[in-house]
Amino acid sequence: MARTLPNRYLTPIDLADLLGVPVETVYQWRRKHTGPRGFRVGRHLRFDPEDVRAWVATLMEEAA
């Protein structure tokens, strides 16, 4: 990823903005277990930037 990731946990909106996809796509990935690993803080969904980086790297390896 060319852009640097923030040093905080990402919200679904942050992730959608970072990847240039609709927020609903992030939730679909979560339901289908195909997206980056996320976790809940109470009722709020968050993503670790390192998990997102690893997920994107896996996608890039599979595409190569």
Side-chain angles (χ1 to χ4, degrees), residues 27-54:
Y27 287 110
Q28 286 176 7
W29 289 337
R30 177 118 171 120
R31 281 191 298 273
K32 295 177 182 178
H33 304 285
T34 59
R37 195 170 58 162
F39 63 95
R40 291 223 172 257
V41 178
R43 60 182 211 164
H44 304 284
L45 180 59
R46 296 294 182 260
F47 298 90
D48 186 329
E50 291 302 318
D51 288 340
V52 172
R53 179 177 283 117

Side-chain angles (χ1 to χ4, degrees), residues 11-23:
T11 66
I13 294 171
D14 294 333
L15 184 59
D17 182 52
L18 180 70
L19 298 175
V21 299
V23 175

